Coordinates of all heavy atoms in Angstrom, one line a residue:
A248 N 25.3 -75.8 -14.5 CA 25.2 -76.0 -15.9 C 25.2 -77.5 -16.3 O 24.4 -77.9 -17.1 CB 26.3 -75.2 -16.6
V249 N 26.2 -78.2 -15.8 CA 26.4 -79.6 -16.2 C 25.2 -80.4 -15.7 O 24.7 -81.2 -16.5 CB 27.7 -80.1 -15.5 CG1 27.8 -81.6 -15.8 CG2 28.9 -79.4 -16.1
N250 N 24.7 -80.2 -14.5 CA 23.6 -81.0 -13.9 C 22.3 -80.7 -14.7 O 21.5 -81.6 -14.9 CB 23.4 -80.7 -12.5 CG 24.5 -81.2 -11.6 OD1 25.2 -82.2 -12.0 ND2 24.8 -80.7 -10.4
E251 N 22.1 -79.4 -15.1 CA 20.9 -79.1 -15.9 C 20.9 -79.7 -17.3 O 19.9 -80.2 -17.7 CB 20.7 -77.6 -16.0 CG 19.4 -77.2 -16.4 CD 18.9 -75.8 -16.0 OE1 19.0 -75.5 -14.8 OE2 18.5 -75.0 -16.9
V252 N 22.0 -79.7 -17.9 CA 22.1 -80.4 -19.3 C 21.9 -81.9 -19.1 O 21.2 -82.5 -19.9 CB 23.5 -80.0 -20.0 CG1 23.6 -80.8 -21.3 CG2 23.6 -78.5 -20.3
R253 N 22.6 -82.5 -18.1 CA 22.4 -83.9 -17.8 C 21.0 -84.2 -17.5 O 20.4 -85.2 -18.1 CB 23.3 -84.3 -16.7 CG 23.2 -85.9 -16.4 CD 23.9 -86.3 -15.2 NE 25.4 -86.2 -15.3 CZ 26.1 -85.4 -14.5 NH1 25.6 -84.6 -13.6 NH2 27.4 -85.4 -14.7
G254 N 20.4 -83.4 -16.7 CA 18.9 -83.6 -16.3 C 18.0 -83.6 -17.5 O 17.1 -84.3 -17.7
A255 N 18.3 -82.6 -18.4 CA 17.5 -82.4 -19.6 C 17.7 -83.7 -20.5 O 16.7 -84.1 -21.1 CB 17.9 -81.2 -20.4
M256 N 18.9 -84.2 -20.6 CA 19.1 -85.4 -21.5 C 18.5 -86.6 -20.9 O 18.1 -87.5 -21.7 CB 20.6 -85.6 -21.6 CG 21.3 -84.5 -22.5 SD 23.1 -84.6 -22.4 CE 23.4 -86.2 -23.2
E257 N 18.3 -86.7 -19.6 CA 17.8 -87.9 -18.9 C 16.3 -87.7 -18.6 O 15.7 -88.6 -18.1 CB 18.5 -88.2 -17.7 CG 20.0 -88.6 -17.9 CD 20.8 -88.7 -16.6 OE1 20.2 -88.4 -15.5 OE2 22.0 -89.1 -16.7
G258 N 15.7 -86.5 -19.0 CA 14.3 -86.3 -18.7 C 14.0 -86.0 -17.3 O 12.9 -86.2 -16.8
L259 N 15.0 -85.6 -16.5 CA 14.8 -85.3 -15.1 C 14.8 -83.8 -14.7 O 15.0 -83.5 -13.6 CB 16.0 -86.0 -14.3 CG 16.1 -87.5 -14.5 CD1 17.4 -88.0 -13.9 CD2 14.9 -88.3 -14.0
L260 N 14.7 -83.0 -15.7 CA 14.8 -81.6 -15.5 C 13.5 -81.1 -14.7 O 12.4 -81.3 -15.1 CB 14.8 -80.8 -16.8 CG 15.3 -79.4 -16.8 CD1 16.8 -79.4 -16.4 CD2 15.2 -78.8 -18.2
E261 N 13.8 -80.4 -13.6 CA 12.7 -79.9 -12.8 C 12.2 -78.6 -13.4 O 12.9 -77.8 -14.0 CB 13.2 -79.6 -11.4 CG 13.5 -80.8 -10.6 CD 14.0 -80.4 -9.2 OE1 13.8 -79.3 -8.8 OE2 14.6 -81.3 -8.5
P262 N 10.9 -78.4 -13.3 CA 10.3 -77.1 -13.9 C 11.0 -75.9 -13.2 O 11.2 -75.9 -12.0 CB 8.8 -77.2 -13.6 CG 8.6 -78.4 -12.8 CD 9.8 -79.2 -12.7
I263 N 11.3 -74.9 -14.0 CA 11.9 -73.7 -13.4 C 11.0 -72.5 -13.7 O 10.3 -72.5 -14.7 CB 13.3 -73.4 -14.0 CG1 13.3 -73.4 -15.5 CG2 14.3 -74.5 -13.5 CD1 14.6 -72.9 -16.1
T264 N 11.1 -71.5 -12.9 CA 10.4 -70.2 -13.1 C 11.2 -69.4 -14.0 O 12.3 -69.1 -13.7 CB 10.1 -69.5 -11.8 OG1 9.4 -70.4 -10.9 CG2 9.2 -68.3 -12.0
E265 N 10.7 -69.0 -15.2 CA 11.4 -68.2 -16.1 C 11.1 -66.8 -16.0 O 10.0 -66.4 -16.0 CB 11.1 -68.7 -17.5 CG 12.0 -68.1 -18.6 CD 11.6 -68.5 -20.0 OE1 11.9 -69.6 -20.4 OE2 10.9 -67.7 -20.7
E266 N 12.2 -66.0 -15.9 CA 12.0 -64.5 -15.8 C 12.1 -64.0 -17.2 O 13.1 -64.1 -17.9 CB 13.1 -63.9 -14.9 CG 12.9 -62.4 -14.7 CD 14.0 -61.9 -13.8 OE1 14.1 -62.3 -12.6 OE2 14.8 -61.1 -14.3
R267 N 11.0 -63.3 -17.7 CA 11.0 -62.8 -19.1 C 11.2 -61.3 -19.1 O 10.5 -60.6 -18.4 CB 9.6 -63.2 -19.7 CG 9.6 -62.8 -21.2 CD 8.6 -63.6 -21.9 NE 8.9 -65.0 -22.0 CZ 8.5 -65.8 -22.9 NH1 7.7 -65.4 -23.9 NH2 8.8 -67.1 -22.9
L268 N 12.2 -60.9 -19.8 CA 12.6 -59.5 -19.8 C 11.6 -58.7 -20.7 O 11.4 -59.1 -21.9 CB 14.0 -59.3 -20.4 CG 14.7 -58.0 -20.2 CD1 15.0 -57.7 -18.8 CD2 15.9 -58.0 -21.0
L269 N 10.9 -57.7 -20.2 CA 10.0 -57.0 -21.0 C 10.5 -55.7 -21.6 O 10.0 -55.1 -22.5 CB 8.7 -56.7 -20.2 CG 8.0 -57.9 -19.6 CD1 6.8 -57.5 -18.8 CD2 7.5 -58.8 -20.8
G270 N 11.6 -55.1 -20.9 CA 12.1 -53.9 -21.4 C 13.4 -53.5 -20.6 O 13.6 -54.1 -19.5
V271 N 14.2 -52.6 -21.1 CA 15.4 -52.2 -20.5 C 15.4 -50.6 -20.4 O 15.1 -50.0 -21.5 CB 16.7 -52.7 -21.2 CG1 17.9 -52.2 -20.5 CG2 16.7 -54.2 -21.2
A272 N 15.7 -50.0 -19.3 CA 15.8 -48.6 -19.2 C 17.1 -48.2 -18.5 O 17.5 -48.9 -17.5 CB 14.6 -48.0 -18.5
E273 N 17.8 -47.1 -18.9 CA 19.0 -46.7 -18.3 C 18.7 -45.4 -17.4 O 18.1 -44.5 -18.0 CB 20.0 -46.3 -19.3 CG 21.3 -45.9 -18.7 CD 22.3 -45.4 -19.8 OE1 22.1 -45.7 -21.0 OE2 23.2 -44.6 -19.4
V274 N 19.0 -45.5 -16.1 CA 18.8 -44.3 -15.3 C 19.8 -43.2 -15.6 O 21.0 -43.4 -15.5 CB 18.9 -44.7 -13.8 CG1 18.7 -43.4 -12.9 CG2 17.9 -45.8 -13.4
R275 N 19.2 -42.0 -16.1 CA 20.1 -40.9 -16.5 C 20.3 -39.9 -15.4 O 21.3 -39.2 -15.3 CB 19.5 -40.2 -17.8 CG 19.5 -41.1 -19.0 CD 20.9 -41.3 -19.6 NE 20.9 -42.1 -20.7 CZ 20.8 -41.7 -22.0 NH1 20.5 -40.5 -22.2 NH2 20.8 -42.6 -23.0
A276 N 19.2 -39.7 -14.6 CA 19.3 -38.7 -13.5 C 18.3 -39.0 -12.4 O 17.3 -39.7 -12.6 CB 19.0 -37.3 -14.1
L277 N 18.7 -38.5 -11.2 CA 17.8 -38.7 -10.0 C 17.3 -37.3 -9.5 O 18.0 -36.4 -9.5 CB 18.5 -39.4 -8.9 CG 19.0 -40.8 -9.1 CD1 19.8 -41.3 -7.9 CD2 17.8 -41.8 -9.4
F278 N 16.0 -37.3 -9.2 CA 15.4 -36.1 -8.7 C 14.7 -36.3 -7.3 O 14.0 -37.4 -7.2 CB 14.3 -35.6 -9.7 CG 14.7 -35.4 -11.1 CD1 14.6 -36.5 -12.0 CD2 15.4 -34.3 -11.5 CE1 15.1 -36.3 -13.3 CE2 15.8 -34.1 -12.8 CZ 15.7 -35.2 -13.7
R279 N 15.0 -35.5 -6.4 CA 14.4 -35.7 -5.0 C 13.1 -34.9 -4.9 O 13.0 -33.8 -5.3 CB 15.4 -35.1 -4.0 CG 16.8 -35.6 -4.1 CD 17.0 -37.0 -3.8 NE 18.3 -37.5 -4.1 CZ 18.7 -38.7 -4.0 NH1 17.9 -39.7 -3.7 NH2 20.0 -39.1 -4.3
S280 N 12.1 -35.6 -4.4 CA 10.8 -35.0 -4.2 C 10.3 -35.2 -2.7 O 10.4 -36.3 -2.2 CB 9.7 -35.5 -5.1 OG 8.4 -35.2 -4.7
S281 N 9.9 -34.1 -2.1 CA 9.5 -34.3 -0.7 C 8.2 -35.1 -0.5 O 7.9 -35.7 0.5 CB 9.3 -32.9 0.0 OG 8.4 -32.1 -0.8
R282 N 7.4 -35.1 -1.6 CA 6.1 -35.8 -1.6 C 6.2 -37.3 -1.9 O 5.7 -38.1 -1.2 CB 5.1 -35.2 -2.5 CG 4.4 -33.9 -2.0 CD 3.3 -33.5 -2.9 NE 3.7 -33.3 -4.2 CZ 2.9 -33.4 -5.3 NH1 1.7 -33.6 -5.2 NH2 3.4 -33.2 -6.5
V283 N 6.9 -37.6 -3.0 CA 7.0 -39.0 -3.4 C 8.3 -39.7 -3.3 O 8.5 -40.9 -3.6 CB 6.5 -39.1 -4.9 CG1 5.1 -38.7 -5.1 CG2 7.4 -38.3 -5.8
G284 N 9.3 -39.0 -2.8 CA 10.6 -39.6 -2.6 C 11.5 -39.3 -3.8 O 11.5 -38.3 -4.4
T285 N 12.3 -40.4 -4.2 CA 13.3 -40.2 -5.3 C 12.6 -40.6 -6.6 O 12.0 -41.6 -6.8 CB 14.5 -41.0 -5.1 OG1 15.1 -40.7 -3.8 CG2 15.6 -40.8 -6.1
I286 N 12.8 -39.7 -7.6 CA 12.3 -40.0 -9.0 C 13.5 -40.3 -9.9 O 14.5 -39.5 -9.9 CB 11.5 -38.8 -9.5 CG1 10.3 -38.5 -8.6 CG2 11.1 -39.0 -11.0 CD1 9.7 -37.1 -8.9
A287 N 13.4 -41.4 -10.7 CA 14.5 -41.7 -11.6 C 14.1 -41.3 -13.0 O 13.0 -41.7 -13.5 CB 14.8 -43.2 -11.6
G288 N 14.9 -40.5 -13.6 CA 14.7 -40.1 -15.0 C 15.4 -41.1 -15.9 O 16.6 -41.3 -15.8

């Protein structure tokens, strides 16, 4: 945290790959299928 803020202030911040969250889902139940494996509801 300290080095990144210092780097930003001094113009030395390296480009970073940003992970952008597109959605959130909560797994409520698991179903087993012999054809496709485990299905998450």
Side-chain angles (χ1 to χ4, degrees):
V249 175
N250 291 336
E251 192 155 308
V252 174
R253 183 189 289 117
M256 290 169 67
E257 294 172 356
L259 305 173
L260 198 62
E261 292 180 14
I263 56 169
T264 306
E265 185 183 283
E266 186 179 295
R267 184 156 295 203
L268 193 70
L269 298 179
V271 178
E273 181 187 342
V274 178
R275 293 286 178 89
L277 296 176
F278 307 93
R279 312 290 174 188
S280 166
S281 56
R282 277 189 308 158
V283 295
T285 305
I286 300 165

